């Protein structure tokens, strides 16, 4: 059986898939079973911030695999402690819990908020319209997109959804029972939506006044993606809890809840755990990703990539009136069209360029920080060709 047949017969069809079966990756390139090479403009949906199979990440994983693959969380795991220290050094004072994915990190963050609020009569959440927080039942409840939620309702009670960027809506919705406001610093799946710094500052102020927690879901924006170590640093607004995943492991399954000092000790032994969370293998990978980003000045690389991406996108906007707006920071770029973008994705794919379209009409790039100007040019040439057909 070929790979397509194996999938048809044995894989639950819960995900829409392109008929490509990749077997190798290097930098911003993937190689198909047929040997055909593809330029990947959203490697791993945001996972491969340092590109596919970065040699230092591979080396760290190989060495760790030969030493100790897994030991459970009822022991002290040195690499877990070291990775937590690194993340704290680049973010804010607090403590970390490691999970295996972004959705799980968000579940844990919501558990912290619920337990923190329990003695105060606070249990409700406000999240944002067009947000995306993951596919588990709690994370879906937080996700402000009806199409992801509707088939699985009733979900966890206590969630309401505010328009992203609208501070007066928050003021109307928040009450004494609200335990947390949950938000992405830049909405990813929702279409690379941004809000001004003042909005995030106001959110912080409201949370402080109303004694409620501010949770930033940085699963997509975290770990240098936006040209800062973490997206909250774009606005100089510190959350009480930040969740991470994707880029943190550079390709291995890891998530993290970063809880500031005021909430770091809410969870006590027996409250929360994960068999695999933060095991030696994934923490070795996480440490290698951070070390590469530190040594190679990942922040400057992300900002340099942003300049080229935005310049090329700006040139396209001059040529094609279907382009409404260009948004994003670092290597997270959205090009909003006033038409559906799926046919453009298909056309680029025929050119061996992999791009993503989110929220129906937003072309999204989540490139490696090591993407070269030449590679960006290849992608934009293909995009230009696809747009010319419209
Ligand atoms: C902002 C955000 N939160 C949470 C998730 C869910 O992460 P995971 O797929 O690792 O569960 C995603 C995934 O795209 C995301 O973009």
């Amino acid at each position: 059986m070929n790979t397509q047949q194996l999938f048809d017969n044995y894989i639950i069809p819960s995900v829409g898939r392109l008929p490509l079966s990749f077997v190798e990756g290097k930098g911003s390139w993937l190689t198909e079973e047929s040997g055909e090479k593809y330029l990947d403009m959203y490697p791993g949906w945001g996972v491969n911030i340092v590109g596919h199979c970065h040699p230092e990440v591979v080396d760290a994983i190989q060495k760790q695999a030969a030493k100790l693959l897994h030991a459970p969380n009822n022991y002290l795991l040195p690499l877990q402690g070291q990775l937590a220290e690194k993340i704290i050094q680049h973010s804010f004072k607090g403590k970390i819990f490691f999970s295996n994915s972004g959705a799980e990190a968000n579940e844990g963050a919501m558990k912290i908020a619920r337990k923190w609020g329990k003695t105060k009569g606070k249990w409700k959440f406000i999240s944002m319209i067009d947000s995306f927080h993951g596919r588990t039942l709690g994370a879906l409840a937080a996700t402000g997109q009806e199409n992801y939620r509707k088939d699985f309702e009733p979900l966890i009670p206590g969630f309401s959804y505010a328009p992203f960027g609208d501070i007066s809506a928050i003021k109307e919705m928040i009450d004494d029972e609200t335990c947390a406001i949950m938000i992405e610093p830049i909405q990813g799946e929702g279409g690379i939506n941004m809000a001004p710094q003042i909005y995030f500052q106001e959110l912080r102020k409201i949370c402080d006044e109303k004694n409620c927690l501010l949770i930033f879901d940085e699963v997509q924006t975290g770990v240098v993606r936006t040209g800062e170590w973490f997206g909250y640093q774009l606005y100089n607004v510190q959350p009480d809890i930040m969740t991470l995943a994707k880029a943190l492991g550079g390709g291995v399954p890891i998530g993290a809840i970063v809880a500031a000092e005021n909430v770091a000790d809410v969870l006590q032994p027996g409250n929360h755990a994960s068999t695999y969370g933060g095991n030696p293998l994934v923490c070795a990978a996480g440490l290698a990703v951070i070390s590469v980003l530190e040594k190679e000045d990942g922040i400057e690389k992300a900002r340099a990539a942003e300049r080229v991406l935005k310049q090329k996108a700006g040139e396209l906007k001059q040529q094609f009136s279907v382009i409404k707006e260009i948004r994003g920071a670092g290597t997270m770029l959205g090009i909003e069209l006033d038409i559906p973008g799926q046919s453009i994705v298909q056309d680029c794919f025929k050119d061996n360029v992999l791009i993503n379209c989110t929220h129906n009409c937003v072309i999204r790039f989540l490139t490696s920080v090591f993407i070269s100007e030449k590679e960006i040019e290849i992608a934009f040439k293909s995009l230009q060709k696809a747009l010319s057909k419209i």
Side-chain angles (χ1 to χ4, degrees), residues 101-103 106 132-134 184 189 217 219-220 245-246:
S101 67
N106 286 334
F132 184 82
H133 298 293
E184 296 155 84
E189 300 297 308
D217 176 343
V219 168
Q220 200 163 132
K246 291 194 187 279

Side-chain angles (χ1 to χ4, degrees), residues 70 72-74 80 97-100 104 272-279:
H70 180 77
N73 272 306
N74 57 325
Q80 190 179 122
F97 176 91
F98 287 103
S99 64
N100 311 286
E104 270 179 83
H272 198 55
S274 162
T275 297
Y276 285 119
N279 87 0

Side-chain angles (χ1 to χ4, degrees), residues 62-84:
Q62 284 175 337
K63 287 197 173 118
Q64 189 55 43
K67 240 172 156 178
L68 178 64
L69 270 177
H70 180 77
N73 272 306
N74 57 325
Y75 305 117
L76 300 174
L77 303 174
L79 296 180
Q80 190 179 122
Q82 289 164 31
L83 180 57

